[in-house]
Amino acid sequence: MRILLKVWRQASPTARGEFRDYVADDVSPDMSFLEMLDVVNEGLIAKGDDPIAFDSDCREGICGTCGFLVSGIPHGPDPGTTVCQLHMRRFSDGDRVTLEPWRAKAFPVLKDLVVDRSAFDRIIQAGGYTSVNVGGAPDGNAILVPKTASDKAMDSAACIGCGACVAACKNASAVLFTSAKVSHLALLPQGQPERSARVIAMVHRHDAEGFGSCSNEGECEAVCPKEIPITNIARMNREYLRAMLLARD
Ligand code: SF4
Ligand code: FES
């Protein structure tokens, strides 16, 4: 296949960016999208040009490192799929594909398709620690957890922190991410001691980082590669309200 690429090129955070055209030739349908970009980059390097910068690590949909807009859709057209798991069989010979970095004030562009997502790290850091009693490691079954709670907590913990939810949201809100992290511990017995302080600190950090508010568009859920449901946002709002009421007492 021949794929016609239009790629955002930006040399540095302060440089002026622009779209540039590239042609990917001899693309196999079995290649992953990132392997196709690897081949394009090998061609650029051979010509002495700067390769297209993009993030990736595991390339197995686990780590959350990869992510950019593929023709306007975060991670591309396949639902529940990271861009590293997107394959070229999804495209046809002669397709035109536009690649852009996440667009959000809180995710400044570092280079080309790479953005700074350290704001997510600071939201998680704001959540702080979980208390554990000192002494020997307790038996795995010493703290009983209802099956429904453990299932929901596990589903929330599936968030890989990729940032696609922010990129899809017209408000550049990160509440799907933040609510997944809040829910993960709020649902479990181990998360109870710091439950109130955690949600208040994480929500305030979210706002301080410059992410927008939620207006229930649902775009975040639609593009999330881990299919994190927006019911987490409702849970986070309830947790926040509860914590603020308790703090008033
Ligand atoms: S909620 Fe989904 S889209 Fe948002 S950071 Fe987590 S995995 Fe990515
Ligand atoms: S590179 Fe790890 S999720 Fe895509």
Side-chain angles (χ1 to χ4, degrees):
M1 293 188 292
R2 163 174 277 206
I3 304 293
L4 306 170
L5 297 167
K6 191 178 272 295
V7 183
W8 183 260
R9 301 302 311 265
Q10 183 173 332
S12 71
T14 51
R16 189 183 169 86
E18 62 175 11
F19 282 109
R20 283 193 215 142
D21 293 321
Y22 299 92
V23 176
D25 272 322
D26 299 324
V27 175
S28 158
D30 296 329
M31 279 178 173
S32 75
F33 199 88
L34 299 189
E35 282 168 348
M36 179 274 294
L37 282 183
D38 289 340
V39 174
V40 170
N41 274 344
E42 280 167 16
L44 290 174
I45 292 165
K47 284 195 293 182
D49 289 343
D50 197 22
I52 300 161
F54 61 90
D55 267 330
S56 77
D57 190 357
C58 70
R59 298 202 176 192
E60 292 182 352
I62 299 167
C63 71
T65 307
C66 66
F68 46 78
L69 296 161
V70 180
S71 295
I73 306 172
H75 289 298
D78 282 350
T81 305
T82 53
V83 73
C84 63
Q85 290 284 284
L86 180 65
H87 280 77
M88 294 314 296
R89 67 180 78 95
R90 189 67 168 72
F91 298 86
S92 306
D93 186 36
D95 273 359
R96 292 174 186 277
V97 183
T98 305
L99 306 184
E100 281 180 86
W102 295 159
R103 302 286 190 191
K105 190 174 104 189
F107 285 164
V109 175
L110 294 175
K111 187 175 183 192
D112 299 339
L113 305 177
V114 178
V115 299
D116 178 358
R117 284 172 288 182
S118 57
F120 271 12
D121 298 333
R122 290 188 290 275
I123 291 173
I124 292 178
Q125 282 166 1
Y129 53 84
T130 52
S131 293
V132 287
N133 293 327
V134 294
D139 283 348
N141 59 0
I143 302 174
L144 297 180
V145 183
K147 176 82 168 89
T148 49
S150 70
D151 284 351
K152 281 183 186 157
M154 196 64 197
D155 289 347
S156 305
C159 167
I160 54 175
C162 64
C165 46
V166 176
C169 177
K170 68 174 189 177
N171 308 320
S173 175
V175 288
L176 189 64
F177 163 80
T178 308
S179 67
K181 299 303 173 196
V182 165
S183 294
H184 170 199
L185 287 169
L187 285 160
L188 295 174
Q190 293 87 342
Q192 298 313 303
E194 290 83 21
R195 180 177 166 186
S196 296
R198 182 184 307 114
V199 66
I200 291 173
M202 291 180 83
V203 168
H204 290 179
R205 192 70 241 166
H206 168 279
D207 295 349
E209 292 292 344
F211 294 109
S213 299
C214 175
S215 51
N216 288 317
E217 309 297 322
E219 300 286 341
C220 52
E221 183 184 74
V223 301
C224 174
K226 296 296 148 187
E227 301 178 323
I228 303 289
I230 54 174
T231 48
N232 282 291
I233 299 175
R235 182 180 300 106
M236 183 184 77
N237 289 340
R238 285 197 303 274
E239 287 290 322
Y240 183 77
L241 185 62
R242 173 187 170 279
M244 292 304 275
L245 288 172
L246 286 173
R248 236 177 29 166
D249 288 346

